[in-house]
């Protein structure tokens, strides 16, 4: 273990769940390694890493054979070789972009500049006319020149910048009351003209922390439900997939501690989640019995269950319609011959 400051390209870095990636790495070995890249991509779900070369550089989220500085390993382990450090990393490039200052004038600044040029031309024209008329009437040249210059100076609105600044400051104060903080005053005028702001908020405006929002379970199955949430779960403490962390936290808040439950029902077999089954199954053995816990997409879970689940299906559809991410949980007792069957 060495300080990240001492890393140079070519060094080998070992990663495991809970580690923060210290530099940009090319993954050379992985065992179910998943990394939370929300700080770079805004994606709330961890990215699964592999060792296959990527044909095109693409975006950060598409480079699945790379691990980037500042991201966090949430599951599994891996080994990678350092390819970039410091400001040469993807995180460093973002820092460089933040340091670059691009002066873009707001609509108000553009209108004020146009107004200033127009006012200057008009003032100069009027002063020229007054000077010409005075000279034509026989007035001394010096007196008419001083008079024209005095009129030109008087025509310049010296208080205009101060008035604009005060107006923008008052606008910033009103926006602050609405929980909006601006770095530059001219932005107040632009934001005041905006109806909708569309932004990627995950990991920036939000904490990328999921939670169980709503539960629908038969009271008779209350204990089995929360036991399934705790045991059919690969999260460990504060590390793991955000969805599984949320489920583990819900079980803990309901009084079901994963560590204690695993002592009574240790995991004997597991069938990891995959895109075909859309299910995760764990089998636990205790007191001479086998029990399987299942979680996944509602339609996949319901297809494995016996009987009619119209009420559950209706609630799942209603939750999905309200924008919730819906998961279903099921359990059953098994005998040894049933382990490994597709319907488990």
């Amino acid at each position: 273990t060495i300080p990240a400051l001492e890393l140079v390209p070519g060094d080998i870095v070992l990663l495991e769940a809970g580690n923060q990636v210290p530099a940009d790495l090319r993954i050379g070995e992985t065992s179910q390694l998943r990394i939370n890249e929300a700080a770079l991509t805004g994606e709330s779900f961890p990215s699964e890493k592999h060792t296959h070369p990527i044909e095109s550089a693409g975006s950060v989220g598409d480079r699945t054979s790379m691990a980037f500085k500042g991201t966090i390993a949430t599951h599994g382990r891996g080994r990678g070789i350092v390819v970039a450090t410091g400001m040469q990393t993807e995180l460093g490039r973002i820092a460089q972009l933040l340091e670059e200052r691009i002066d873009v004038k707001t609509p108000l600044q553009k209108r004020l500049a146009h107004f200033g040029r127009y006012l200057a031309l008009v003032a100069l024209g009027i002063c020229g006319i007054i000077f010409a008329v005075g000279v034509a009437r026989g007035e001394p040249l010096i007196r008419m020149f001083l008079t024209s210059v005095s009129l030109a100076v008087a025509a310049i609105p010296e208080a205009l910048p101060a008035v604009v600044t005060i107006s923008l400051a008052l606008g910033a104060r009103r926006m602050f009351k609405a929980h909006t903080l601006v770095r530059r005053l001219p932005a107040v005028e632009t934001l005041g003209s905006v109806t909708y702001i569309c932004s990627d908020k995950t990991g920036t405006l939000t904490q990328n922390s999921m939670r169980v929002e709503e539960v629908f379970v038969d009271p008779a199955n209350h204990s089995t439900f929360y036991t399934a949430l705790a045991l059919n779960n690969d999260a460990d403490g504060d590390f793991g997939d955000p969805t599984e962390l949320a489920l583990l936290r819900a079980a803990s808040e309901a009084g079901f501690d994963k560590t204690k439950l695993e002592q009574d029902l240790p995991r004997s077999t597991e069938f990891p989640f995959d895109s075909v089954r859309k299910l995760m199954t764990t089998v636990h053995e205790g007191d001479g019995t086998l029990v399987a816990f299942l979680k996944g997409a509602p339609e996949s879970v319901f297809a494995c269950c016996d009987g009619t689940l119209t009420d559950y299906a209706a609630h799942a559809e209603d939750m999905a319609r309200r924008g919730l991410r819906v998961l279903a949980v099921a359990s059953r007792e098994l005998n040894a011959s049933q382990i490994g069957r597709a319907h488990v």
Side-chain angles (χ1 to χ4, degrees):
T1 300
I2 64 172
L5 290 174
E6 298 181 11
L7 288 174
V8 296
D11 284 346
I12 301 297
V13 176
L14 304 180
L15 294 175
E16 61 182 16
N19 291 159
Q20 185 177 58
V21 181
D24 283 6
L25 311 175
R26 171 64 167 89
I27 302 297
E29 178 184 329
T30 176
S31 176
Q32 296 184 343
L33 178 64
R34 292 200 289 268
I35 296 180
N36 185 338
E37 297 178 340
L40 292 178
T41 65
E43 177 59 53
S44 59
F45 299 103
S47 173
E48 186 170 355
K49 299 298 180 179
H50 59 71
T51 60
H52 309 307
I54 303 299
E55 295 182 0
S56 175
S59 63
V60 171
D62 294 330
R63 290 178 242 168
T64 52
S65 60
M66 294 286 296
F68 300 101
K69 177 179 174 62
T71 59
I72 299 175
T74 60
H75 187 270
R77 60 179 179 83
R79 179 197 301 262
I81 183 170
V82 176
V83 296
T85 60
M87 298 301 286
Q88 302 304 315
T89 63
E90 291 297 328
L91 195 64
R93 291 191 180 95
I94 293 176
Q96 289 177 340
L97 290 174
L98 291 175
E99 291 178 357
E100 295 177 1
R101 182 171 179 177
I102 302 176
D103 291 327
V104 179
K105 294 186 178 296
T106 66
L108 176 62
Q109 290 175 317
K110 293 177 180 178
R111 289 196 296 268
L112 286 176
H114 177 74
F115 174 73
R117 288 194 298 269
Y118 180 78
L119 186 63
L121 291 174
V122 172
L124 289 174
I126 293 175
C127 291
I129 293 173
I130 292 176
F131 178 80
V133 172
V135 171
R137 292 180 56 186
E139 300 289 341
L141 288 175
I142 299 297
R143 178 182 297 176
M144 291 311 303
F145 176 76
L146 293 176
T147 300
S148 300
V149 171
S150 300
L151 288 173
V153 172
I156 297 174
E158 297 176 352
L160 182 60
V163 171
V164 172
T165 302
I166 292 173
S167 299
L168 292 177
L170 292 174
R173 183 180 178 184
R174 291 183 60 186
M175 295 183 70
F176 178 75
K177 292 180 179 179
H179 308 292
T180 301
L181 188 62
V182 296
R183 292 178 59 191
R184 299 185 181 93
L185 278 180
V188 173
E189 182 263 339
T190 305
L191 286 174
S193 304
V194 172
T195 304
Y196 297 100
I197 297 178
C198 301
S199 65
D200 185 357
K201 60 186 178 59
T202 305
T204 51
L205 299 181
T206 63
Q207 297 178 349
N208 188 30
S209 176
M210 301 179 69
R211 70 169 185 264
V212 175
E213 187 71 19
E214 186 176 331
V215 169
F216 177 74
V217 60
D218 190 322
N221 298 322
H222 180 272
S223 178
T224 304
F225 173 75
Y226 284 104
T227 299
L229 293 189
L231 294 180
N232 186 274
N233 199 309
D234 288 331
D236 182 16
D238 295 328
F239 303 109
D241 181 86
T243 302
E244 295 203 329
L245 283 173
L247 298 177
L248 186 62
R249 194 176 300 116
S252 178
E253 291 173 353
F256 292 79
D257 183 76
K258 180 180 180 180
T259 304
K260 295 179 180 179
L261 291 171
E262 285 180 331
Q263 294 176 358
D264 298 328
L265 289 170
R267 184 183 299 188
S268 60
T269 309
E270 65 178 278
F271 302 89
F273 178 89
D274 63 64
S275 58
V276 178
R277 292 176 66 234
K278 297 182 180 180
L279 299 170
M280 174 182 176
T281 307
T282 58
V283 180
H284 302 262
E285 184 176 1
D287 295 331
T289 62
L290 288 173
V291 59
F293 295 117
L294 178 73
K295 78 166 181 282
E299 59 274 14
S300 299
V301 174
F302 295 159
C304 298
C305 298
D306 298 328
T308 304
L309 300 172
T310 305
D311 197 23
Y312 285 94
H315 276 82
E317 185 177 348
D318 178 64
M319 290 178 180
R321 191 183 302 113
R322 289 185 279 118
L324 299 177
R325 185 187 179 207
V326 186
L327 293 175
V329 177
S331 70
R332 67 175 297 178
E333 292 188 1
L334 303 172
N335 56 55
S337 63
Q338 291 176 304
I339 298 178
R341 293 184 183 178
H343 67 274
V344 171

